[in-house]
Amino acid sequence: MVILSSEEFREQENNLIQMGTLGGERLINKINLQSTRGFGHDGMNPTVETSLNNNEYIGYLMINDRVAASGFGKIDDDQEGNKYKTMYLHSISVSEEFRGQGLCKQITDEFIKKFGKNHILYLTVRTETGNENVVGIKCYEKNGFIMLPQVYRDHYDGKNNAMIRLPTNSKNSIRSRRRRKNTRNKRK
């Protein structure tokens, strides 16, 4: 599992091309295909190129020379003076043949390890009645995200609600306060 900045990804892609280790297919195309198929779409969306153009972070997990899961993160602009930065996670997907192995949690964990201490992480997930992404919602909840039921957007696939995860570096973060409270309750 790796999460790279756009600059790091470009450098890695160039090194792989120079070494001839891609077996004829560029990593960009492998990730684009996995991401497109992971959402059940035909063709191939230029998700990686769009992320590179927007200076985003690209995460992916390889299993047996195949991209099994991928996800992308964009640090929001214009955050000067804010205590915490915000990062939008998007297009997190797992290839159909690798589902049920905890890869959604793993890729989300990697973004949390890299950015979760100093960033408010947020994403949107499909909540359209009858078409809910129940597996995705459970994955994000296991990673400490909470659903904001009143914050949603209409998307091509129906209603999508926002989920957020608060930073964990503060002694007064919600998680820290809960841990201290639970520890005190256990002592009684």
Side-chain angles (χ1 to χ4, degrees):
M1 176 72 229
V2 64
I3 295 179
L4 302 171
S5 68
S6 291
E7 184 178 322
E8 292 167 330
F9 186 88
R10 284 185 186 98
E11 189 176 306
Q12 176 184 286
E13 179 85 344
N14 289 334
N15 289 340
L16 291 172
I17 289 169
Q18 288 174 356
M19 293 186 314
T21 58
L22 288 177
E25 188 174 6
R26 292 182 62 200
L27 183 58
I28 287 175
N29 294 335
K30 288 181 176 187
I31 295 171
N32 281 338
L33 186 62
Q34 180 279 322
S35 180
T36 303
R37 296 290 187 272
F39 283 100
H41 300 273
D42 293 327
M44 186 163 49
N45 295 328
T47 311
V48 175
E49 291 85 346
T50 301
S51 293
L52 291 171
N53 290 337
N54 291 328
N55 206 24
E56 297 181 10
Y57 287 83
I58 300 165
Y60 65 94
L61 174 64
M62 301 288 289
I63 297 177
N64 298 327
D65 199 38
R66 297 191 56 206
V67 178
S70 63
F72 304 84
K74 179 174 181 5
I75 296 176
D76 294 325
D77 298 328
D78 302 325
Q79 298 187 53
E80 196 170 316
N82 294 345
K83 182 175 180 179
Y84 296 106
K85 294 180 179 179
T86 57
M87 175 180 245
Y88 173 58
L89 301 181
H90 65 92
S91 305
I92 296 172
S93 64
V94 176
S95 295
E96 194 169 335
E97 62 269 26
F98 295 106
R99 290 183 181 162
Q101 299 177 32
L103 301 185
C104 173
K105 182 172 179 357
Q106 189 174 340
I107 200 160
T108 307
D109 278 344
E110 288 300 315
F111 274 100
I112 291 168
K113 285 178 195 171
K114 191 162 186 146
F115 300 102
K117 290 186 178 186
N118 299 311
H119 292 76
I120 296 170
L121 303 176
Y122 68 100
L123 52 84
T124 60
V125 63
R126 189 179 60 247
T127 55
E128 182 71 28
T129 303
N131 193 24
E132 299 94 346
N133 183 353
V134 176
V135 173
I137 293 167
K138 286 180 181 179
C139 166
Y140 305 133
E141 286 175 339
K142 286 178 186 176
N143 278 294
F145 285 81
I146 56 172
M147 181 75 68
L148 301 176
Q150 302 304 317
V151 181
Y152 67 91
R153 67 180 180 149
D154 289 321
H155 198 253
Y156 72 89
D157 60 354
K159 181 179 173 184
N160 279 238
N161 277 73
M163 296 184 80
I164 65 166
R165 185 179 190 284
L166 300 175
T168 55
N169 72 340
S170 167
K171 288 182 181 178
N172 286 319
S173 72
I174 291 171
R175 281 184 193 79
S176 296
R177 290 192 309 256
R178 282 184 187 154
R179 263 188 247 115
R180 286 193 301 268
K181 181 181 176 184
N182 288 340
T183 302
R184 284 192 302 265
N185 289 340
K186 287 180 183 177
R187 289 183 198 151
K188 292 180 181 180

